[in-house]
Amino acid sequence: MRVLMIGAGGVGDAAAKIAVDRDYFERWVVADYSLERAEATVAAASGRREGESRLVAAQVDASDPGAVAALAREHGATHVFNAVDPRFVMPIFTGALAAGADYLDMAMSLSRPHPERPYEEVGVKLGDEQLAQAGEWESAGRLALVGMGVEPGLSDVFARYAADELFSSIDELGTRDGANLVVRDAEGREVFAPGFSMWTIIEECLNPPVVWERERAQAAGGDVEAGFFTLPPFAEPEVFDFPEGIGPVECVHVEHEEVLLMPRWVDAQRVTFKYGLGAEMIAMLRQLHALGLDSTQPVDVGGVQVSPRDVVAAVLPDPASIGPRMEGKTCAGLSVTGTGTDGQPRAVYLYHVVDNADSMRDFDAQCVVWQTAINPVVALELLATGEWSGTGVLGPEAFPARPFLDLLAAPAPAGYGSAWGMEER
């Protein structure tokens, strides 16, 4: 396997450090718009293993599918791993197919608002542009594994596991994400610093969240697409009790890929995603929207065209840099309710918790980006060994869950030594 990873930000940097301990690839190209940043990632990752020479750095413009395809061909890439933010999904996705390579990402093509009701309804859903090209990928004999981070990604693997091994029928697949993370300044005061891209947080949280219900799909003759509908941003708050000392966190509906993926491969009556944003973040997002600072449309500032959202993201700390000042744990997981294999009602929470102290100690990566990064590295190994295979545009639910969960949790050197858990609720 020869991997072209595009993006040397927090997640890409962590992914390279995780991957370098594994033997399943012969070349791992770290490409970024900033060659200096790509070189820094290569140096940091290669330094973890004596004599390591498989990682190389390259420069690329991720917005140019031709440049992506040319770089993939230059290095004979068998797989293009998209580790940049969702704005660049489609050019990288397109470039990978043009180069004859397989593709993997952690976030899908962006949704677009309804032209007449932008904050009430989605016009183009998350992933629609990618899923529409499934036939082209299948005809080419190539695989695009989409949404293979932690959420989406590991949560989708949990959905397949629950359907295959824990439940005879599922009422709700409810992704629930929460944390007790804090970031402090040099004087020890708590400060506002999101654990991942503020640009993406604004995109996800201010778009109308999508929910899926089987009843709506059945009313339309079984059409999966008819089961999707939207709610207002931050709808239906609930307090969810997260494991391993995190405790109760208020969660609200957020637009996310799991809802768009799970119903296509896993039978359930309802699919939802809720995120523990917290009152401070919700208030800030509402204010950004009220001021128009969530907009991506450039405005003239002293003769310079700038996007308000880009400015907001630029003034906040880089998520990759806040690890040393961060404390606490992050939890990604899936709440599943329905009927167990014994015919009795059952409710479980399948989850993965990462302590920032652990990820910083072992990988010099803050926990949110590290938790996202480990899952595509595991998936690439399963593709390399042939335990996962397929063609077309597929979500993680399309593959057997057990090989992934076993490899993730198995102690090194056989596996990745990152345990996941399950609680009966």
Side-chain angles (χ1 to χ4, degrees), residues 306-351:
V306 296
S307 157
R309 191 188 299 185
D310 286 346
V311 173
V312 172
V315 299
L316 289 169
D318 180 350
S321 71
I322 62 176
R325 297 181 287 131
M326 181 183 280
E327 302 170 2
K329 300 176 181 179
T330 185
C331 178
L334 182 72
S335 173
V336 189
T337 58
T339 302
T341 56
D342 61 357
Q344 299 300 310
R346 191 176 191 185
V348 303
Y349 183 58
L350 299 157
Y351 66 90

Side-chain angles (χ1 to χ4, degrees), residues 92-108:
I92 298 174
F93 180 81
T94 302
L97 181 60
D102 287 354
Y103 169 89
L104 182 148
D105 65 30
M106 296 169 286
M108 296 174 68

